[in-house]
Structure formats: structure tokens, C-alpha cells
Amino acid sequence: MASNRPVALVTGASSGLGKATAHALVEAGFDVVGTSRKTSGSTSSGGVTFLALDVTSDDSVSSVVQQVIERFGRIDVLVNNAGLGIDGAAEEISVAQAQRVFDVNVFGLMRMTKAVLPHMRGRGRGRIINISSLGGFVGNPFMSVYIATKHAVEGYTESLDHEIREHGVRVLRVQPGPFNTPFDANSVQADTPVPVYARQRAIYDEVTQEQLRGGDDPAVIAKVVVAAATDRKPKLSYPAGSLAPRLKVLRRILPARTFDKSVRKFNRMTA
Amino acid sequence: MSTFHPDLARGRFIPNVSVGRLSSRIVRSRKIRPTDPGTGVTVQELVVPGPKDAPSVSLRVFQPTGLKAAAPALLWIHGGGTIMGAPELDDRTNIAFARELGITVAAVRYRLAPDHPAPAAVEDAYAALRGLAERAGDLHIDIDRIAIGGASAGGGIAAALALLAHDRAEIRPVFQLLLYPMLDDRTTTRTDLDTLKVRLWTPKSNRYAWSSYLGDAVAGPEVSPYAAAARREDLTGLPPAWIGVGTLDLFHDEDVEYARRLSDSGVPCDLDVVPGAFHAFDLVFPKAEVSREFWRRQARALEGALWADRK
């Protein structure tokens, strides 16, 4: 089983960006293990070996990492892709629901990271690529909880990257904008709707649908993930797609008030 | 003293420099590059609880890939005069032990002198031994077949650890593998040594290292056997040992003497004296035939002690 090809582990690889990333990594010469909640047992498709993994379970995480190391002898790249979306006003999302989203998007990512680090540190090499978001550095109405998770990922990534660089391991973040996947279908609905937000939310939904339809092809983002996995001199941040790199520049050069106005205008909010 | 072993003739050109405060500090600050074990062996850095009131201890663990059933283990202690070095020093031989013998090899990252004098190093090694025993289940380690071993200062710490484990009677290592161990601080006061052909570890380095580890107590009456194993009077009841040392090693005499005393105390001890070999020759010239043979003898000794049922 063990070969000399580098080994990548991609979480949430059954659909969307994770699937595209897994296939792009196979094409780039990696042995790829993809995980998802829904896989039963271990199956293989398109060069990707699938394992069942629930990132909210400590046991599941450590057992999957152990299995991959036993079968392939190493993990060169971990792509923390598994994540949930959640739309809704902050008031409409209960704390319990927010905690569940954090448990996947943030603590799941931390569990995976902590499970592979002893191995990567031991080898003195390795790369962890965290799928962040445009929402990792820009705020947007009706996405407060999702964006909070991605801001957490941003800070965790940047801090950890400093800690373990001297051990030969890099932690990077890929920041895609809206792209065309069933991610929206996987989104969690706010559990406590508040009528006063209904009108503005309907507008937000419309704007988002437009955005997703005109969004990037996941294969474009996957290419950026592969670049992060293979660049000889990796960068901490990889904004990906058509929107995120531009917004990153705008955020940096526009005055705060102008940027704020443009976000409101974009979401068709008054004043 | 004898002449250089023919495989090690190039050793003649190694300058006989000593280490002191500054040079050991510089060496300490350099990170040793880890060796990629390739396929067949996996590596990870484990953290286990440290000694009482001390920080936790890190272990560099090599295991045969896909190890499923409980297998023996070797706790390895790197050399460097107690003042330098890191587990990565011995990656090559440790990976080979794991691969060829099918055992787990755990190299302990212990605290170094003079910042952490005795007994920090040996207590860290003990904590590592206990950590391995505690995690025996998920690491697939057979706690009744744990060997300890080390080179140079690490050999000395391993010998001291054998004493400590014997006295505390919690975990009983079954074997001690000692490569040119640094056992006796009293060697620092010897004046009768012909050290012209000694390489890599000079009397001056030895004095600096022992006084870093023991402070003012060095060569005095108050040195604990847990710091300098040769100080121990009663060697009965210790695990069987293998001791290897070259004739051009500063530690030759103290190692041969320790081997004799072990045998006299009824502890089975194999002494392997390599003619014309200097300190750490197998690290400097790993590809020389004499170095390869040195490793094979260690592997055979370990195999005999840990896989007795295979024979």
C-alpha cells in the first residue's frame, strides 16, 4: 500500500470544494484520503480513498488519523475543508445552534490539526491548509455566525503558523469567495426566526443566490488549494476565485467608511 | 594506546577540539535535521507527563507502520555530554532498529545541563519510561519487554536509569544497551591517560560536561549514583547489559571496569571492545564497515533480549 507519493488528507471530501480538491490533488500526484460523515466503511473512487469521519468526535478524529498513518505511512498535507454554512440574523440563531456550527468549523478543524501535528512535527515537515473564506476577513449581514467561525479560523491559522514553522510545518489558509456548489443546500437554517428581519433577509437570500450562481467553479478554488499544498515558498493566505482577491485589496486601500457603505449597498440595505 | 582502526583512518584528521561554555551553547542552538523514515516506519512526537514539578517530556517515537499487536520497545537516550544533542542525532540507527527488529523506538528529549543539572536528565528519562508504560495500550507496547539504551552521556543516563528503575521497582526494563557510556565523573581527575589519539571527546570536554551536570560536586565524595552510575557500589539485580566501546575512547577504561563489575555482580553483560575506534565513531563514519558491524551487534543483542521467543 505504502508508496513514495505524498499523502494528502481532505476532510469533507464527498461534495463541493472538498471533492474538487481531492481530485485535483490526485492529479497533482498525491495519494488522497477523503473523509465525510456519510461514507460507510472505506471505499475508493477516482483515486481517492474514502473514510468515514465525524470531525466533532475526538475518537473518530484520532482513529482516522491513525488509520491513514498506518496505511500510508505518513501525512504530508491536511486540508481542513469540512464546514457548515449558516444563514440568518444573529438574533435568529440560538447559541446552541451556533455552538454546533463552531464545533464543526472551528473545533473540528482544531481536533484534526492537533491529531496530525505530533506526526508532522516528528517528520519535521508537513502542511495544513485551512479552508477559510472571504468571510474570514470581511463581515456581511445575516452571516454573523458563519463569519465568526471563519474569523476564528483565520486567527488560529496565522498564530499556529508562527508556532510550528521552526518544526518544518506550515499552516496556511485558502480564502474563497462565493462559488458554485451544493454548499448552500448543506447550510443550516436559523432555528428561531424573528419577523422584523424577514424583509431584509429575503433580499439577502436573493443577493446570495445571484452570487452563488455567478460564483466560481470549485475546480478553480481547488487549483489554489493544490498551489498551497505544493508551492515551494508557501504564503500564509491564498485568496481564491474572482471576488476574494479583489475584495482583499479593496479592504486594504479603501477608507473604512467607504468600504462599509459598499457592503451595505451590495446587500441593498438602507443608509 | 593502539592505532586507528583501518576503517576509521580518516579519523586521524579530526582536530582534537574541546567543547566549553560558548561552543556547547552554539551547538545547542543549532537544530538537527530530522531524518525522513520513508515508508515502513512512522514517526511522531509524543508528549508525556514530566517528573514531579517539572515540565512534560517529549518523545520522538518510531514505529513499524501498521503495528497492531503488542511489540517490544526501546527507550533511547541521545548523547552529547548532557550539555548538547537532541533525539534527532540518532534518527538513522533508531529508524533501523524499528524497521529491522519490528519494535517501537522512543527517543527522549531530556533537559540539558548546565541549565538543568542532575538529576533532571535521568528523571526526564524515567518520566519517559513511565509515559511509555502508561500509553502501552494505544502504542502497542509490551511493557514486559522494554529495553533502555543510549550513547555516550545517553549511555550514562541509561545506566543510571537502570539503577533508578531497579530501586523504584515500578517498571522493570529488561535490557540496557550502552554505547561508550559516560559513567564515571572521577575520570576527570585522572592524569595517567595517554589521550593523544582520543578523538571527539577530550578530557577537557569531559571536565566541562561533568561539572555542568554535577556542579561543584564533580569528582567529590557526594555524587549520586543516579548521576554517575559508576558510583554505585551494589550492582546486583540489574537488567542484562551490552556495552560497546572503542580502545581510543576516553571512556574505555571506565566502561570496561563497569562491565567487569556488572559481571561480577551476576548481571549478564556482553562487552564489545572495538580496536582502534574512538568516541562516537559510528556517528562520524556511519558507512564504515566497522560502524555497520557495531550496529549489527547492537541489533543482535536487542533481538536476543526482546525477541527471545523468536529464536
Side-chain angles (χ1 to χ4, degrees):
Chain A
M1 193 75 210
S3 70
N4 272 328
R5 282 147 60 99
V7 177
L9 174 57
V10 182
T11 65
S14 61
S15 64
L17 176 58
K19 191 174 178 183
T21 299
H23 289 302
L25 284 168
V26 169
E27 251 165 56
F30 282 80
D31 276 335
V32 179
V33 180
T35 73
S36 81
R37 276 171 305 168
K38 292 159 205 154
T39 308
S40 59
S42 141
T43 54
S44 198
S45 91
V48 182
T49 309
F50 272 92
L51 294 175
L53 166 70
D54 176 4
V55 294
T56 62
S57 149
D58 290 342
D59 292 341
S60 175
V61 164
S62 64
S63 124
V64 159
V65 169
Q66 205 54 43
Q67 272 181 59
V68 174
I69 292 173
E70 274 169 15
R71 276 174 68 173
F72 293 90
R74 60 202 246 192
I75 298 175
D76 295 274
V77 174
L78 165 66
V79 182
N80 276 316
N81 166 73
L84 289 178
I86 181 163
D87 291 334
E91 264 190 276
E92 298 179 311
I93 298 168
S94 69
V95 170
Q97 193 176 25
Q99 277 173 333
R100 278 198 295 282
V101 177
F102 265 83
D103 205 19
V104 175
N105 291 12
V106 179
F107 298 113
L109 176 145
M110 290 187 191
R111 282 186 196 97
M112 289 301 296
T113 302
K114 285 171 70 95
V116 300
L117 270 182
H119 169 71
M120 288 188 175
R121 224 156 29 79
R123 290 183 66 218
R125 57 186 300 175
R127 235 172 246 190
I128 298 173
I129 298 165
N130 292 332
I131 305 300
S132 175
S133 163
L134 168 57
F137 56 89
V138 176
N140 203 57
F142 300 103
M143 293 181 76
S144 57
V145 171
Y146 176 73
I147 283 183
T149 66
K150 290 306 181 184
H151 271 66
V153 168
E154 292 273 314
Y156 185 73
T157 304
E158 184 169 345
S159 310
L160 179 61
D161 185 42
H162 286 296
E163 286 167 22
I164 57 177
R165 201 175 303 176
E166 66 176 288
H167 300 288
V169 183
R170 289 297 304 264
V171 189
L172 318 169
R173 54 197 181 196
V174 171
Q175 302 154 318
F179 56 88
N180 213 337
T181 76
F183 182 72
D184 199 44
N186 281 349
S187 280
V188 181
Q189 288 307 311
D191 57 358
T192 48
V194 178
V196 293
Y197 294 111
R199 194 187 59 84
Q200 195 60 51
R201 246 196 92 177
I203 297 174
Y204 160 82
D205 284 342
E206 204 180 299
V207 172
T208 312
Q209 286 310 323
E210 270 167 38
Q211 279 297 312
L212 290 176
R213 268 197 304 276
D216 302 305
D217 184 341
V220 175
I221 315 290
K223 234 181 206 166
V224 178
V225 180
V226 172
T230 52
D231 274 359
R232 265 172 35 119
K233 284 196 176 156
K235 297 176 290 183
L236 168 64
S237 302
Y238 287 82
S242 53
L243 192 58
R246 275 189 288 163
L247 270 177
K248 194 164 194 179
V249 173
L250 285 179
R251 166 123 237 188
R252 193 180 295 163
I253 58 172
L254 285 184
R257 185 175 296 208
T258 316
F259 193 84
D260 173 274
K261 271 213 176 107
S262 64
V263 170
R264 294 187 68 77
K265 192 173 164 200
F266 183 80
N267 286 285
R268 298 181 210 153
M269 302 183 102
T270 46
Chain B
M1 278 194 173
S2 56
T3 55
F4 286 90
H5 189 286
D7 296 352
L8 306 172
R10 281 169 303 161
R12 208 185 308 272
F13 303 110
I14 298 173
N16 238 346
V17 289
S18 303
V19 290
R21 210 155 63 96
L22 181 64
S23 48
S24 65
R25 187 144 295 182
I26 292 168
V27 172
R28 259 203 305 278
S29 70
R30 307 288 303 193
K31 199 172 148 59
I32 303 167
R33 275 177 67 101
T35 307
D36 191 336
T39 54
V41 174
T42 57
V43 55
Q44 56 180 330
E45 289 264 340
L46 284 184
V47 178
V48 298
K52 199 171 175 294
D53 302 324
S56 47
V57 174
S58 193
L59 289 168
R60 190 167 168 73
V61 180
F62 298 97
Q63 296 196 284
T65 303
L67 185 66
K68 277 276 173 279
L74 167 67
L75 174 65
W76 181 260
I77 307 168
H78 68 79
T82 73
I83 50 175
M84 309 173 288
E88 285 88 352
L89 261 183
D90 304 306
D91 271 6
R92 204 181 44 81
T93 45
N94 283 339
I95 291 165
F97 281 139
R99 176 175 292 126
E100 302 300 324
L101 300 178
I103 61 171
T104 296
V105 181
V108 56
R109 205 178 288 282
Y110 59 88
R111 287 169 292 164
L112 299 174
D115 295 341
H116 303 281
V122 69
E123 286 293 354
D124 281 358
Y126 189 82
L129 184 61
R130 217 178 35 199
L132 281 185
E134 270 162 18
R135 302 199 45 180
D138 61 294
L139 290 176
H140 305 295
I141 292 174
D142 177 355
I143 52 171
D144 294 323
R145 286 185 292 172
I146 299 180
I148 57 179
S152 188
I157 296 165
L161 176 63
L163 299 172
L164 199 59
H166 170 267
D167 298 351
R168 289 188 181 163
E170 290 176 322
I171 307 151
R172 294 293 187 114
V174 292
F175 194 66
Q176 37 182 339
L177 184 78
L178 310 178
L179 281 60
Y180 32 82
M182 176 176 167
L183 295 165
D184 197 343
D185 59 306
R186 290 165 300 191
T187 300
T188 55
T189 58
R190 278 183 66 176
T191 51
D192 56 327
L193 288 164
D194 170 15
T195 56
L196 203 62
K197 284 181 179 151
V198 161
R199 288 291 179 279
L200 271 107
W201 197 246
T202 63
K204 198 173 162 191
S205 303
N206 201 36
R207 276 197 294 278
Y208 175 69
W210 273 116
S211 48
S212 298
Y213 192 46
L214 301 177
D216 292 338
V218 62
E222 300 284 301
V223 173
S224 159
Y226 299 145
R231 297 289 198 133
R232 173 79 155 221
E233 301 281 341
D234 178 13
L235 295 176
T236 54
L238 294 177
W242 181 93
I243 298 181
V245 65
T247 53
L248 295 183
D249 198 313
L250 180 65
F251 297 150
H252 171 265
D253 294 0
E254 63 185 69
D255 292 354
V256 171
E257 170 67 8
Y258 195 71
R260 185 193 61 73
R261 287 179 52 212
L262 282 172
S263 297
D264 287 355
S265 311
V267 176
C269 177
D270 265 341
L271 175 65
D272 206 319
V273 176
V274 187
F278 47 87
H279 195 68
F281 66 96
D282 55 329
L283 264 187
V284 185
F285 298 123
K287 297 208 169 97
E289 180 48 32
V290 64
S291 304
R292 292 175 193 269
E293 176 59 21
F294 194 60
W295 182 84
R296 282 194 292 269
R297 289 186 190 180
Q298 297 161 36
R300 236 173 284 143
L302 279 175
E303 189 167 29
L306 298 175
W307 288 114
D309 48 322
R310 272 191 184 173
K311 286 185 157 181

